[in-house]
Amino acid sequence: MNIIPIHPARRASIEWPVEGVTRAPYELFQSNEVYADEQEAIFRGPNWSYLCLEAEVPNPGDFRSTFVGDAPVVVTRDTDGELYAFENRCAHRGAMVCLEDAGNAKDFSCVYHAWTYSLQGDLLGVAFRDGINGQGGMKEDFCLGDHGLRKLRVATLHGLVFGSFSDDVPPLDEYLGEEIVERIARVLEGRTSVVLGRFTQMLPNNWKLYFENVKDSYHASILHLFFTTFQLNKLSQRGGIIVDPSGGHHVSYSAVDHAAQAAAPTATQDYAAQNIRSESGHRLEDTSVLAGTDEFGDGITLQILSVFPGFVLQQIQNAIAVRQILPRGARQTELNWIYLGFEDDTPELREMRLRQANLVGPAGYVSMEDGCVGGFVQRGIDGASDAHSVIEMGGDGTTSSASRVTEASIRGFWKAYRNAMGY
């Protein structure tokens, strides 16, 4: 079948400032044309998008509904034990063939006209294909094999399931790079995940504003008063930033050393001297949410890892979660939080994870502000589509850094973004 592209050329023309990745035009967060181009170039382009956890589809017939960009997708495990993913869009008239978030099925039948598909997305049958009483029905040359659901490539890594519409995307481990793979392995390798809970949060801002925020180590101890009040994260703590060569993936990590902080109280003074809110009069009645254990043996108490274009793996103390960032138009984002434990958790560790889950999420002690600040930016740039941000903290590079007082990973995102979009 010859398919004529609807948009043979990009529709959005963006004039990028000469300063390069230290500037991001505000039009990128507002334009419907840019949004449409992103769906094709990024989310349906040669990139890997997070789909679900292997633990969510452990048995033959299990399925999970998800999205790649704004395209609905179903992930299944067939009777051969393999994982498959396909677009959740009937080949007949475009209706979704799977209307549930998760479950177990032997096949999928479109509720509109009962076209039926296998767990691999192949068309199995068409209702009244031969008509009735010799009348009606499909043409004689109609071939079931020509009308399956659009399939994705699928790859897994330490229990994470990724998918891509592209045949040109490199293997997942090559796409991520050695350092990112190692940091994912640090948290997930050799462990069977258990979903402890999930939330969906709608953000009043463009998806790229949230992804910038995830990569922004500079803001964490400034915006999040809980971090500094209870000594969970300060820029003076041991840590660093890892940015992969493509720029699209990053890791920010830090370690709490209470003894060092007690011996060098200047860290708090540094914040106060610049009128940065770093302490509050609030205290916790129950401080158990702050208690943690070094389950990884390296002293790192915070690791935020992102994969272009929309995946986050977090470790904050012992609160482990994955986040899926889904664009919902130029000015809205869907953020899915999935909180994790592991099959070998002790009862004490499981309770600790559940308590610390209060740190993050739509109403988390730490991350509540992240749900607001993107909207502040979205509202602030209205009427300023000809202006741009200034991203120069830590210089103009996109390389890894021993300091977290840098925006290198944000510049890295724009490096990967420009490459994907052809800007």
Side-chain angles (χ1 to χ4, degrees):
M1 179 185 298
N2 292 323
I3 299 177
I4 301 174
I6 297 175
H7 306 296
R10 294 282 164 79
R11 296 176 298 163
S13 177
I14 299 294
E15 187 171 336
W16 208 284
V18 295
E19 293 89 346
V21 295
T22 64
R23 301 291 187 271
Y26 289 145
E27 186 179 0
L28 295 172
F29 306 110
Q30 302 169 312
S31 167
N32 291 327
E33 288 75 21
V34 168
Y35 177 84
D37 288 347
E38 289 170 348
Q39 297 306 309
E40 188 63 33
I42 295 177
F43 294 99
R44 291 189 286 275
N47 297 296
W48 288 103
S49 292
Y50 169 78
L51 300 179
C52 67
L53 300 165
E54 284 196 81
E56 295 178 281
V57 283
N59 303 309
D62 287 348
F63 67 87
R64 180 81 200 172
S65 296
T66 185
F67 286 85
V68 172
D70 57 14
V73 169
V74 180
V75 182
T76 67
R77 190 177 295 276
D78 203 353
T79 53
D80 61 2
E82 297 296 319
L83 291 172
Y84 297 89
F86 44 83
E87 198 168 12
N88 190 3
R89 176 178 57 83
C90 184
H92 178 216
R93 297 271 290 281
M96 297 176 70
V97 298
C98 179
L99 302 178
E100 299 176 322
D101 290 336
N104 187 278
K106 61 181 180 62
D107 54 38
F108 297 96
S109 183
C110 178
V111 69
Y112 200 179
H113 298 96
W115 284 36
T116 302
Y117 300 87
S118 74
L119 292 171
Q120 297 185 26
D122 299 320
L123 182 60
L124 298 176
V126 171
F128 301 115
R129 176 184 177 184
D130 298 324
I132 297 176
N133 296 326
Q135 295 183 335
M138 304 297 289
K139 295 168 57 179
E140 289 186 3
D141 63 353
F142 179 81
C143 177
L144 294 176
D146 293 338
H147 299 282
L149 303 176
R150 184 182 181 186
K151 298 181 181 181
L152 286 75
R153 290 176 60 186
V154 175
T156 61
L157 179 68
H158 302 308
L160 304 173
V161 183
F162 289 83
S164 178
F165 282 110
S166 173
D167 291 328
D168 298 325
V169 64
L172 181 59
D173 57 349
E174 180 181 331
Y175 177 82
L176 296 173
E178 183 177 349
E179 287 186 297
I180 303 300
V181 169
E182 287 178 352
R183 288 291 179 149
I184 292 174
R186 171 184 171 272
V187 178
L188 299 176
E189 185 175 23
R191 315 174 87 181
T192 301
S193 298
V194 176
V195 176
L196 302 182
R198 61 177 78 240
F199 290 99
T200 294
Q201 180 179 8
M202 299 305 296
L203 304 176
N205 52 263
N206 187 277
W207 68 275
K208 297 183 292 297
L209 288 174
Y210 185 78
F211 209 34
E212 275 193 321
N213 180 77
V214 166
K215 293 172 176 290
D216 181 6
S217 58
Y218 175 34
H219 88 278
S221 62
I222 299 174
L223 176 67
H224 303 305
L225 186 57
F226 192 94
F227 265 156
T228 49
T229 296
F230 297 104
Q231 306 293 311
L232 293 179
N233 184 13
K234 289 187 176 181
L235 290 173
S236 55
Q237 293 170 348
R238 175 174 67 88
I241 296 286
I242 298 170
V243 185
D244 87 298
S246 78
H249 324 310
H250 104 292
V251 179
S252 174
Y253 64 95
S254 62
V256 175
D257 187 338
H258 294 293
Q261 289 178 180
T266 56
T268 297
Q269 296 169 6
D270 289 340
Y271 280 75
Q274 300 182 66
N275 293 318
I276 296 172
R277 58 190 194 119
S278 59
E279 294 284 348
S280 76
H282 298 293
R283 293 295 177 262
L284 294 171
E285 187 73 23
D286 180 356
T287 60
S288 61
V289 70
L290 303 175
T293 184
D294 184 5
E295 64 180 294
F296 304 106
D298 55 11
I300 293 174
T301 50
L302 183 147
Q303 175 180 289
I304 303 296
L305 179 152
S306 71
V307 173
F308 184 87
F311 170 76
V312 181
L313 171 64
Q314 69 155 61
Q315 173 230 334
I316 300 178
Q317 301 283 82
N318 303 101
I320 313 297
V322 298
R323 310 177 200 169
Q324 182 187 33
I325 304 167
L326 297 175
R328 289 291 175 261
R331 295 169 180 265
Q332 191 173 49
T333 300
E334 178 180 323
L335 176 60
N336 292 320
W337 301 78
I338 302 96
Y339 299 83
L340 302 182
F342 302 95
E343 281 191 352
D344 60 356
D345 284 349
T346 64
E348 294 77 16
L349 182 54
R350 179 64 56 83
E351 181 177 350
M352 189 178 295
R353 295 195 201 283
L354 291 171
R355 288 182 182 275
Q356 292 176 4
N358 289 289
L359 295 172
V360 289
Y365 292 139
V366 173
S367 59
M368 177 170 53
E369 297 92 344
D370 289 330
C372 302
V373 73
F376 297 163
V377 176
Q378 193 75 52
R379 290 155 56 191
I381 65 177
D382 273 346
S385 59
D386 58 341
H388 50 71
S389 57
V390 177
I391 315 170
E392 295 185 349
M393 183 61 65
D396 57 9
T398 61
T399 56
S400 301
S401 168
S403 170
R404 290 177 297 130
V405 191
T406 180
E407 293 171 314
S409 51
I410 300 177
R411 293 188 290 270
F413 167 71
W414 290 115
K415 173 184 174 181
Y417 180 88
R418 292 184 68 183
N419 181 63
M421 295 289 287
Y423 292 146

